[in-house]
Amino acid sequence: MPDFPSVEWFKQAADLLNKSDSFKRLGTCDTQMGIQVGDRYFELDFEAFELAHVTEVDAARMDELDFYLVQSPDAWRAMLDDIRANGLATHEYTLNSLDLRSDTEFALGKDYNRRDAFYRFNQTFQDYFDLTAKLKTTYPAGVA
C-alpha cells in the first residue's frame, strides 16, 4: 500500500493509466505537469500514449512545468476518498469542479498558453485520478 503523496503512489497510478484504454479513447497527451501536496512536489511527464515519468522535485521546478495542481493535504485526501468510495470523482471532486470552485487557483502556471494543457487534456488527468480508486492508499501523519 503506497502512501499518498509519494513517487510510488503516483507511479502505481501511472501504471493503471498506462494499462487502461484512456489514451486510445482520448488520444495522445503531451505535457509536463506538477502536483503540490503541502511542501512536497511531484512532476508527471505525459508523452504521447503514456505517463512516462514520475519524480519528486523541488518547488522551483513547478514554475518550469506547463502547470501544477495545488490543494492542501486534507483537500487531496478528500478528493481521493471520494474517488475510492464512488469508483470515480463525483461532481464536487472532479478536477474541473475543483478548479472552478476554488477560492485560490487550483491549476497554476506562469505561462497561460502552457497552462492550457490542463484544460486540453483534462479528461486524461481525470481518468488518471479516477483509476486510483483501485489503489489501496495510506496517508502519513499530516494528511488527516
Side-chain angles (χ1 to χ4, degrees):
M1 282 188 282
D3 279 349
F4 179 86
S6 67
V7 169
E8 179 186 5
W9 188 92
F10 287 109
K11 281 184 176 181
Q12 285 189 19
D15 289 344
L16 292 170
L17 180 67
N18 291 339
K19 292 175 185 172
S20 77
D21 73 342
S22 182
F23 292 114
K24 290 176 188 155
R25 280 185 303 108
L26 300 170
T28 63
C29 178
D30 290 295
T31 194
Q32 293 178 315
M33 71 177 278
I35 304 286
Q36 181 182 345
V37 183
D39 61 356
R40 295 188 68 189
Y41 306 88
F42 301 88
E43 179 178 340
L44 286 68
D45 296 337
F46 290 80
E47 297 175 2
F49 291 101
E50 71 175 333
L51 198 170
H53 304 285
V54 175
T55 54
E56 189 160 2
V57 295
D58 61 18
R61 177 71 178 140
M62 293 291 106
D63 286 336
E64 298 169 2
L65 302 175
D66 294 328
F67 68 92
Y68 59 104
L69 305 179
V70 180
Q71 293 191 100
S72 70
D74 291 343
W76 280 111
R77 181 167 182 174
M79 181 188 92
L80 296 174
D81 286 348
D82 178 73
I83 290 168
R84 181 126 173 102
N86 297 292
L88 54 90
T90 59
H91 177 70
E92 185 176 341
Y93 291 100
T94 66
L95 299 178
N96 270 334
S97 293
L98 292 169
D99 186 52
L100 291 171
R101 71 180 174 84
S102 177
D103 292 337
T104 60
E105 288 188 87
F106 174 64
L108 296 171
K110 285 185 122 177
D111 180 328
Y112 286 102
N113 290 320
R114 290 177 61 200
R115 190 175 80 175
D116 183 61
F118 171 70
Y119 305 102
R120 190 176 20 189
F121 304 121
N122 186 274
Q123 190 56 55
T124 297
F125 308 138
Q126 189 65 62
D127 284 3
Y128 172 73
F129 282 107
D130 285 348
L131 286 166
T132 67
K134 299 175 183 177
L135 288 181
K136 292 188 180 188
T137 300
T138 56
Y139 299 95
V143 185

